[in-house]
Amino acid sequence: MNACFLCGNQFQIVNCVNFVMGQEEYCFDKVDIYIWDSMRTADFTIEALRKEKIFDRIFRYNYKDWEKGFLSRMGARIDFLMSPGRFLKRVVMVDEDNPHEWRYSHIFLFGPDYITQSMIRVNPDARISFLDDGMASYVGKIGISGSSRDKKLIWRLVGKDFWHIYPHCLYVNNVSMCHTEWDVPVKPLPSLTRNEGLIDVMHRIFGRPMTEYDTIRTVILAQPYESEALLEDEEIKCCKAEGIEFILRPHPRQKLSDINVEVIDDSGALWELICAEKINDDYVLIGKCSTAQISPKLLYDKEPYVVFTYRLYDYISEEMRKYPHEMYLNIRDAYRNPEKVIEVENPQELRDVLNRLCEVEGIERMNSQRYEAPL
């Protein structure tokens, strides 16, 4: 039996590594991993992962043909629709030392994407399993929910259901919080905290958290689709207006140019390790609605304050707000103190929340004495 894992960000890589190192369900002859090299730290991460020898082969992939102009983009899409094997050769970087057959009995992935669809079509008899991809794995139907209109239109026009993935199983980090609509077995991933060897591996692959997390407890977590002009974001403007000291953590796929804030986490360190080693119950995690905000609870049963801000932005439609709101309700139900999970409607409400947390938790203001983390 041969298996492959298809992933595109740090959290997904963690879950792939954790599954391979900790699971006892399968005994594979060969295990390959495909990594989308869109992360800022992709080069370092991939080379560090090679040294660990967890996977038999590591392949990079990207969609740079999309950036080369109209003809190249159309050629790639035609290959995707008509010849999935040719499409894989187009997007996967393969050298002479890595001959490729594309044949697998098991495929582990995180959701619909051009490469996942192509790999499934090349391996129609493979067993398909989803691994934890954060919020999308805990509500709705990952693999179907949230597909864009143009992608739905493509498979409707060609009469083929390319964009829907029907899994045999779903593996998540927190089974009790999973409210998936899929009628398939939901199984737990191996515990991150019980595998000391895994934590050491993660440090070698992703590095160690920056020390600023020891003294600043407010963290703004950016989304991958946000522009580089982050000073326009309401979360940052409200924190600055109220004099709140904060760390900005960009998404791994986000560029860092033109971001002008006092403290930015550009370390590339793994957020899941930061949650394990730095974040505790009196931290404040602000963001539109990201997996990073709920990771402390999902992975370690920690309960920092979580402030969802997606309602502040008009470009997030009512349809797009459905799943963040459902996740907001789920995380409130899971918290021992549900009042720590907050959804704000407008900038003034966010500023009021920040002021209240300054009074209740003493979160740091700029130019004030910083909070001293307990030893």
Side-chain angles (χ1 to χ4, degrees):
M1 296 193 302
N2 296 337
C4 74
F5 294 77
L6 300 139
C7 55
N9 60 46
Q10 290 178 321
F11 182 60
Q12 294 176 0
I13 294 173
V14 169
N15 286 327
C16 293
V17 171
N18 184 28
F19 186 89
V20 173
M21 290 183 64
Q23 66 87 27
E24 299 177 351
E25 187 175 354
Y26 301 105
C27 183
F28 295 119
D29 299 313
K30 182 182 293 185
V31 180
D32 295 340
I33 187 170
Y34 297 76
I35 299 175
W36 187 13
D37 63 5
S38 62
M39 298 179 295
R40 293 189 308 275
T41 58
D43 293 341
F44 175 84
T45 298
I46 291 171
E47 289 309 308
L49 188 57
R50 290 189 197 280
K51 295 176 182 177
E52 298 298 327
K53 301 187 183 301
I54 298 168
F55 299 94
D56 292 284
R57 296 181 299 182
I58 298 175
F59 296 100
R60 305 168 65 127
Y61 71 93
N62 59 60
Y63 300 117
K64 292 182 178 178
D65 276 353
W66 264 248
E67 304 170 2
K68 294 179 181 178
F70 176 78
L71 291 178
S72 181
R73 184 164 59 250
M74 289 303 299
R77 291 188 174 182
I78 290 171
D79 282 346
F80 169 71
L81 292 171
M82 307 303 297
S83 178
R86 190 164 63 210
F87 177 81
L88 289 173
K89 291 180 181 179
R90 180 188 284 266
V91 299
V92 177
M93 300 179 191
V94 179
D95 55 41
E96 295 180 357
D97 296 328
N98 282 323
H100 214 298
E101 305 84 26
W102 314 116
R103 300 300 177 188
Y104 298 102
S105 59
H106 291 70
I107 300 175
F108 296 88
L109 46 85
F110 296 87
D113 191 11
Y114 291 101
I115 189 171
T116 59
Q117 299 294 345
S118 298
M119 192 68 76
I120 290 170
R121 289 162 60 203
V122 169
N123 297 277
D125 297 324
R127 181 180 177 88
I128 310 301
S129 297
F130 283 125
L131 299 184
D132 194 326
D133 194 28
M135 289 192 303
S137 301
Y138 288 81
V139 296
K141 282 188 173 182
I142 186 171
I144 293 181
S145 302
S147 295
S148 63
R149 291 180 180 178
D150 61 331
K151 291 172 182 176
K152 290 177 181 178
L153 178 62
I154 288 174
W155 61 259
R156 284 175 181 170
L157 288 175
V158 300
K160 296 182 179 180
D161 191 359
F162 287 163
W163 215 256
H164 287 182
I165 301 174
Y166 300 92
H168 295 89
C169 185
L170 172 62
Y171 293 89
V172 296
N173 286 291
N174 193 318
V175 173
S176 65
M177 289 179 59
C178 185
H179 299 278
T180 180
E181 295 177 10
W182 280 116
D183 186 19
V184 299
V186 179
K187 300 181 180 181
L189 284 166
S191 172
L192 290 171
T193 57
R194 294 182 182 178
N195 190 338
E196 293 184 5
L198 173 65
I199 298 298
D200 291 338
V201 168
M202 292 298 101
H203 279 308
R204 291 195 293 269
I205 294 174
F206 297 105
R208 294 186 177 275
M210 55 193 284
T211 58
E212 282 80 356
Y213 285 102
D214 294 330
T215 56
I216 303 176
R217 291 178 293 157
T218 301
V219 185
I220 295 177
L221 296 156
Q223 297 284 82
Y225 51 78
E226 289 172 0
S227 70
E228 295 177 18
L230 283 171
L231 284 177
E232 299 305 312
D233 273 2
E234 294 294 343
E235 298 92 334
I236 294 177
K237 289 195 291 186
C238 288
C239 281
K240 287 190 170 184
E242 297 302 321
I244 304 298
E245 195 168 21
F246 65 90
I247 298 172
L248 172 67
R249 180 173 170 88
H251 189 275
R253 292 202 300 270
Q254 206 161 28
K255 296 179 180 179
L256 299 180
S257 58
D258 299 327
I259 298 178
N260 182 25
V261 297
E262 184 177 350
V263 183
I264 182 170
D265 181 359
D266 58 357
S267 65
L270 185 67
W271 175 247
E272 289 67 32
L273 284 179
I274 295 171
C275 292
E277 299 174 1
K278 304 292 185 181
I279 305 299
N280 56 44
D281 288 2
D282 57 2
Y283 277 60
V284 181
L285 307 183
I286 304 172
K288 290 180 175 64
C289 191
S290 73
T291 296
Q293 288 175 275
I294 64 175
S295 293
K297 181 65 177 178
L298 286 179
L299 302 177
Y300 309 112
D301 198 29
K302 296 181 178 182
E303 296 193 351
Y305 289 90
V306 175
V307 184
F308 293 119
T309 62
Y310 63 92
R311 292 188 181 277
L312 273 56
Y313 296 89
D314 293 337
Y315 67 82
I316 301 179
S317 66
E318 286 300 322
E319 178 65 22
M320 292 172 64
R321 292 177 181 183
K322 175 182 176 182
Y323 295 105
H325 183 66
E326 189 174 343
M327 196 65 237
Y328 158 75
L329 296 176
N330 288 345
I331 197 76
R332 276 183 64 92
D333 288 342
Y335 258 51
R336 291 178 290 275
N337 182 0
E339 299 304 315
K340 297 182 72 173
V341 183
I342 303 163
E343 190 178 60
V344 295
E345 298 281 347
N346 54 63
Q348 185 58 52
E349 196 170 315
L350 175 56
R351 293 177 66 170
D352 292 343
V353 167
L354 292 171
N355 270 312
R356 178 166 57 84
L357 292 177
C358 280
E359 296 173 1
V360 174
E361 289 291 348
I363 62 171
E364 299 73 34
R365 291 189 186 272
M366 295 178 185
N367 301 319
S368 66
Q369 184 175 357
R370 288 181 173 179
Y371 168 83
E372 292 296 329
L375 297 176

PDB file of all heavy atoms in Angstrom, residues 253-274:
ATOM      1  N   ARG A 253       1.117  32.336   4.129  1.00  0.00           N
ATOM      2  CA  ARG A 253       1.180  32.628   2.692  1.00  0.00           C
ATOM      3  C   ARG A 253       1.195  34.117   2.399  1.00  0.00           C
ATOM      4  O   ARG A 253       1.214  34.532   1.247  1.00  0.00           O
ATOM      5  CB  ARG A 253      -0.016  31.984   1.969  1.00  0.00           C
ATOM      6  CG  ARG A 253       0.013  30.478   1.938  1.00  0.00           C
ATOM      7  CD  ARG A 253      -0.828  29.919   0.806  1.00  0.00           C
ATOM      8  NE  ARG A 253      -2.218  30.283   0.880  1.00  0.00           N
ATOM      9  CZ  ARG A 253      -3.152  29.581   1.513  1.00  0.00           C
ATOM     10  NH1 ARG A 253      -2.801  28.483   2.155  1.00  0.00           N
ATOM     11  NH2 ARG A 253      -4.401  29.960   1.514  1.00  0.00           N
ATOM     12  N   GLN A 254       1.192  34.937   3.429  1.00  0.00           N
ATOM     13  CA  GLN A 254       1.096  36.385   3.257  1.00  0.00           C
ATOM     14  C   GLN A 254       2.482  37.009   3.094  1.00  0.00           C
ATOM     15  O   GLN A 254       3.430  36.626   3.776  1.00  0.00           O
ATOM     16  CB  GLN A 254       0.402  36.979   4.473  1.00  0.00           C
ATOM     17  CG  GLN A 254      -0.315  38.272   4.218  1.00  0.00           C
ATOM     18  CD  GLN A 254      -1.322  38.517   5.323  1.00  0.00           C
ATOM     19  OE1 GLN A 254      -1.154  38.068   6.437  1.00  0.00           O
ATOM     20  NE2 GLN A 254      -2.371  39.235   5.001  1.00  0.00           N
ATOM     21  N   LYS A 255       2.592  37.980   2.199  1.00  0.00           N
ATOM     22  CA  LYS A 255       3.834  38.714   2.026  1.00  0.00           C
ATOM     23  C   LYS A 255       3.972  39.748   3.131  1.00  0.00           C
ATOM     24  O   LYS A 255       2.996  40.254   3.665  1.00  0.00           O
ATOM     25  CB  LYS A 255       3.871  39.383   0.657  1.00  0.00           C
ATOM     26  CG  LYS A 255       3.858  38.392  -0.506  1.00  0.00           C
ATOM     27  CD  LYS A 255       3.876  39.120  -1.840  1.00  0.00           C
ATOM     28  CE  LYS A 255       3.861  38.135  -2.987  1.00  0.00           C
ATOM     29  NZ  LYS A 255       3.865  38.820  -4.309  1.00  0.00           N
ATOM     30  N   LEU A 256       5.213  40.087   3.458  1.00  0.00           N
ATOM     31  CA  LEU A 256       5.463  40.976   4.579  1.00  0.00           C
ATOM     32  C   LEU A 256       5.774  42.408   4.173  1.00  0.00           C
ATOM     33  O   LEU A 256       5.932  43.274   5.021  1.00  0.00           O
ATOM     34  CB  LEU A 256       6.630  40.434   5.422  1.00  0.00           C
ATOM     35  CG  LEU A 256       6.421  39.052   6.054  1.00  0.00           C
ATOM     36  CD1 LEU A 256       7.645  38.653   6.853  1.00  0.00           C
ATOM     37  CD2 LEU A 256       5.185  39.040   6.923  1.00  0.00           C
ATOM     38  N   SER A 257       5.866  42.676   2.879  1.00  0.00           N
ATOM     39  CA  SER A 257       6.223  44.016   2.436  1.00  0.00           C
ATOM     40  C   SER A 257       5.139  45.021   2.804  1.00  0.00           C
ATOM     41  O   SER A 257       3.945  44.724   2.760  1.00  0.00           O
ATOM     42  CB  SER A 257       6.452  44.028   0.924  1.00  0.00           C
ATOM     43  OG  SER A 257       5.311  43.581   0.244  1.00  0.00           O
ATOM     44  N   ASP A 258       5.580  46.194   3.184  1.00  0.00           N
ATOM     45  CA  ASP A 258       4.680  47.319   3.470  1.00  0.00           C
ATOM     46  C   ASP A 258       3.807  47.141   4.707  1.00  0.00           C
ATOM     47  O   ASP A 258       2.835  47.854   4.876  1.00  0.00           O
ATOM     48  CB  ASP A 258       3.774  47.628   2.261  1.00  0.00           C
ATOM     49  CG  ASP A 258       4.574  48.012   1.032  1.00  0.00           C
ATOM     50  OD1 ASP A 258       5.642  48.625   1.208  1.00  0.00           O
ATOM     51  OD2 ASP A 258       4.149  47.682  -0.076  1.00  0.00           O
ATOM     52  N   ILE A 259       4.122  46.178   5.550  1.00  0.00           N
ATOM     53  CA  ILE A 259       3.385  46.031   6.805  1.00  0.00           C
ATOM     54  C   ILE A 259       4.121  46.830   7.864  1.00  0.00           C
ATOM     55  O   ILE A 259       5.255  46.521   8.232  1.00  0.00           O
ATOM     56  CB  ILE A 259       3.262  44.552   7.219  1.00  0.00           C
ATOM     57  CG1 ILE A 259       2.472  43.773   6.164  1.00  0.00           C
ATOM     58  CG2 ILE A 259       2.574  44.443   8.569  1.00  0.00           C
ATOM     59  CD1 ILE A 259       2.349  42.289   6.457  1.00  0.00           C
ATOM     60  N   ASN A 260       3.494  47.852   8.370  1.00  0.00           N
ATOM     61  CA  ASN A 260       4.148  48.779   9.281  1.00  0.00           C
ATOM     62  C   ASN A 260       3.488  48.735  10.656  1.00  0.00           C
ATOM     63  O   ASN A 260       2.597  49.515  10.959  1.00  0.00           O
ATOM     64  CB  ASN A 260       4.095  50.204   8.702  1.00  0.00           C
ATOM     65  CG  ASN A 260       4.811  51.198   9.595  1.00  0.00           C
ATOM     66  OD1 ASN A 260       5.700  50.830  10.362  1.00  0.00           O
ATOM     67  ND2 ASN A 260       4.412  52.463   9.503  1.00  0.00           N
ATOM     68  N   VAL A 261       3.883  47.772  11.459  1.00  0.00           N
ATOM     69  CA  VAL A 261       3.415  47.689  12.839  1.00  0.00           C
ATOM     70  C   VAL A 261       4.638  47.483  13.721  1.00  0.00           C
ATOM     71  O   VAL A 261       5.706  47.077  13.262  1.00  0.00           O
ATOM     72  CB  VAL A 261       2.400  46.544  13.045  1.00  0.00           C
ATOM     73  CG1 VAL A 261       1.150  46.766  12.220  1.00  0.00           C
ATOM     74  CG2 VAL A 261       3.027  45.200  12.722  1.00  0.00           C
ATOM     75  N   GLU A 262       4.471  47.750  15.016  1.00  0.00           N
ATOM     76  CA  GLU A 262       5.620  47.728  15.917  1.00  0.00           C
ATOM     77  C   GLU A 262       6.177  46.329  16.119  1.00  0.00           C
ATOM     78  O   GLU A 262       7.385  46.109  16.100  1.00  0.00           O
ATOM     79  CB  GLU A 262       5.225  48.326  17.272  1.00  0.00           C
ATOM     80  CG  GLU A 262       6.400  48.420  18.250  1.00  0.00           C
ATOM     81  CD  GLU A 262       6.003  49.080  19.557  1.00  0.00           C
ATOM     82  OE1 GLU A 262       4.886  49.637  19.632  1.00  0.00           O
ATOM     83  OE2 GLU A 262       6.805  49.036  20.501  1.00  0.00           O
ATOM     84  N   VAL A 263       5.294  45.349  16.333  1.00  0.00           N
ATOM     85  CA  VAL A 263       5.749  43.980  16.584  1.00  0.00           C
ATOM     86  C   VAL A 263       5.051  43.048  15.604  1.00  0.00           C
ATOM     87  O   VAL A 263       3.831  42.905  15.619  1.00  0.00           O
ATOM     88  CB  VAL A 263       5.447  43.536  18.030  1.00  0.00           C
ATOM     89  CG1 VAL A 263       6.018  42.132  18.263  1.00  0.00           C
ATOM     90  CG2 VAL A 263       6.037  44.514  19.038  1.00  0.00           C
ATOM     91  N   ILE A 264       5.821  42.433  14.737  1.00  0.00           N
ATOM     92  CA  ILE A 264       5.280  41.488  13.762  1.00  0.00           C
ATOM     93  C   ILE A 264       6.007  40.158  13.913  1.00  0.00           C
ATOM     94  O   ILE A 264       7.233  40.114  14.069  1.00  0.00           O
ATOM     95  CB  ILE A 264       5.414  42.034  12.320  1.00  0.00           C
ATOM     96  CG1 ILE A 264       4.793  41.060  11.319  1.00  0.00           C
ATOM     97  CG2 ILE A 264       6.853  42.331  11.963  1.00  0.00           C
ATOM     98  CD1 ILE A 264       4.668  41.641   9.924  1.00  0.00           C
ATOM     99  N   ASP A 265       5.253  39.084  13.913  1.00  0.00           N
ATOM    100  CA  ASP A 265       5.850  37.753  14.025  1.00  0.00           C
ATOM    101  C   ASP A 265       6.206  37.269  12.624  1.00  0.00           C
ATOM    102  O   ASP A 265       5.403  36.666  11.926  1.00  0.00           O
ATOM    103  CB  ASP A 265       4.875  36.793  14.695  1.00  0.00           C
ATOM    104  CG  ASP A 265       5.478  35.392  14.856  1.00  0.00           C
ATOM    105  OD1 ASP A 265       6.633  35.191  14.437  1.00  0.00           O
ATOM    106  OD2 ASP A 265       4.800  34.507  15.406  1.00  0.00           O
ATOM    107  N   ASP A 266       7.434  37.541  12.218  1.00  0.00           N
ATOM    108  CA  ASP A 266       7.927  37.079  10.925  1.00  0.00           C
ATOM    109  C   ASP A 266       8.885  35.910  11.090  1.00  0.00           C
ATOM    110  O   ASP A 266       9.680  35.611  10.209  1.00  0.00           O
ATOM    111  CB  ASP A 266       8.601  38.216  10.164  1.00  0.00           C
ATOM    112  CG  ASP A 266       9.764  38.824  10.951  1.00  0.00           C
ATOM    113  OD1 ASP A 266       9.998  38.391  12.101  1.00  0.00           O
ATOM    114  OD2 ASP A 266      10.443  39.723  10.414  1.00  0.00           O
ATOM    115  N   SER A 267       8.806  35.241  12.236  1.00  0.00           N
ATOM    116  CA  SER A 267       9.766  34.185  12.559  1.00  0.00           C
ATOM    117  C   SER A 267       9.533  32.913  11.755  1.00  0.00           C
ATOM    118  O   SER A 267      10.458  32.110  11.581  1.00  0.00           O
ATOM    119  CB  SER A 267       9.667  33.841  14.055  1.00  0.00           C
ATOM    120  OG  SER A 267       8.393  33.287  14.359  1.00  0.00           O
ATOM    121  N   GLY A 268       8.293  32.706  11.274  1.00  0.00           N
ATOM    122  CA  GLY A 268       7.978  31.448  10.609  1.00  0.00           C
ATOM    123  C   GLY A 268       7.742  30.309  11.577  1.00  0.00           C
ATOM    124  O   GLY A 268       7.500  29.171  11.161  1.00  0.00           O
ATOM    125  N   ALA A 269       7.820  30.578  12.888  1.00  0.00           N
ATOM    126  CA  ALA A 269       7.590  29.536  13.894  1.00  0.00           C
ATOM    127  C   ALA A 269       6.163  29.020  13.789  1.00  0.00           C
ATOM    128  O   ALA A 269       5.234  29.751  13.426  1.00  0.00           O
ATOM    129  CB  ALA A 269       7.864  30.080  15.290  1.00  0.00           C
ATOM    130  N   LEU A 270       5.984  27.791  14.135  1.00  0.00           N
ATOM    131  CA  LEU A 270       4.705  27.121  14.020  1.00  0.00           C
ATOM    132  C   LEU A 270       3.723  27.649  15.067  1.00  0.00           C
ATOM    133  O   LEU A 270       4.016  27.664  16.265  1.00  0.00           O
ATOM    134  CB  LEU A 270       4.915  25.610  14.208  1.00  0.00           C
ATOM    135  CG  LEU A 270       3.713  24.708  14.020  1.00  0.00           C
ATOM    136  CD1 LEU A 270       3.264  24.714  12.565  1.00  0.00           C
ATOM    137  CD2 LEU A 270       4.060  23.288  14.467  1.00  0.00           C
ATOM    138  N   TRP A 271       2.555  28.086  14.621  1.00  0.00           N
ATOM    139  CA  TRP A 271       1.552  28.624  15.533  1.00  0.00           C
ATOM    140  C   TRP A 271       1.128  27.577  16.562  1.00  0.00           C
ATOM    141  O   TRP A 271       0.888  27.894  17.727  1.00  0.00           O
ATOM    142  CB  TRP A 271       0.347  29.131  14.755  1.00  0.00           C
ATOM    143  CG  TRP A 271      -0.789  29.589  15.624  1.00  0.00           C
ATOM    144  CD1 TRP A 271      -2.017  29.028  15.760  1.00  0.00           C
ATOM    145  CD2 TRP A 271      -0.783  30.737  16.499  1.00  0.00           C
ATOM    146  NE1 TRP A 271      -2.779  29.735  16.652  1.00  0.00           N
ATOM    147  CE2 TRP A 271      -2.047  30.792  17.118  1.00  0.00           C
ATOM    148  CE3 TRP A 271       0.165  31.723  16.807  1.00  0.00           C
ATOM    149  CZ2 TRP A 271      -2.393  31.786  18.037  1.00  0.00           C
ATOM    150  CZ3 TRP A 271      -0.181  32.713  17.725  1.00  0.00           C
ATOM    151  CH2 TRP A 271      -1.432  32.740  18.331  1.00  0.00           C
ATOM    152  N   GLU A 272       1.030  26.333  16.156  1.00  0.00           N
ATOM    153  CA  GLU A 272       0.607  25.281  17.078  1.00  0.00           C
ATOM    154  C   GLU A 272       1.609  25.088  18.207  1.00  0.00           C
ATOM    155  O   GLU A 272       1.224  24.727  19.330  1.00  0.00           O
ATOM    156  CB  GLU A 272       0.387  23.973  16.308  1.00  0.00           C
ATOM    157  CG  GLU A 272      -0.836  23.961  15.419  1.00  0.00           C
ATOM    158  CD  GLU A 272      -0.748  24.918  14.241  1.00  0.00           C
ATOM    159  OE1 GLU A 272       0.371  25.141  13.723  1.00  0.00           O
ATOM    160  OE2 GLU A 272      -1.792  25.461  13.817  1.00  0.00           O
ATOM    161  N   LEU A 273       2.896  25.343  17.950  1.00  0.00           N
ATOM    162  CA  LEU A 273       3.891  25.299  19.022  1.00  0.00           C
ATOM    163  C   LEU A 273       3.794  26.540  19.897  1.00  0.00           C
ATOM    164  O   LEU A 273       3.993  26.465  21.113  1.00  0.00           O
ATOM    165  CB  LEU A 273       5.295  25.180  18.438  1.00  0.00           C
ATOM    166  CG  LEU A 273       5.700  23.805  17.902  1.00  0.00           C
ATOM    167  CD1 LEU A 273       7.116  23.859  17.344  1.00  0.00           C
ATOM    168  CD2 LEU A 273       5.601  22.743  18.988  1.00  0.00           C
ATOM    169  N   ILE A 274       3.501  27.686  19.291  1.00  0.00           N
ATOM    170  CA  ILE A 274       3.300  28.905  20.074  1.00  0.00           C
ATOM    171  C   ILE A 274       2.126  28.712  21.030  1.00  0.00           C
ATOM    172  O   ILE A 274       2.181  29.099  22.205  1.00  0.00           O
ATOM    173  CB  ILE A 274       3.056  30.110  19.145  1.00  0.00           C
ATOM    174  CG1 ILE A 274       4.301  30.390  18.301  1.00  0.00           C
ATOM    175  CG2 ILE A 274       2.668  31.356  19.936  1.00  0.00           C
ATOM    176  CD1 ILE A 274       4.103  31.407  17.201  1.00  0.00           C
TER     177      ILE A 274
END
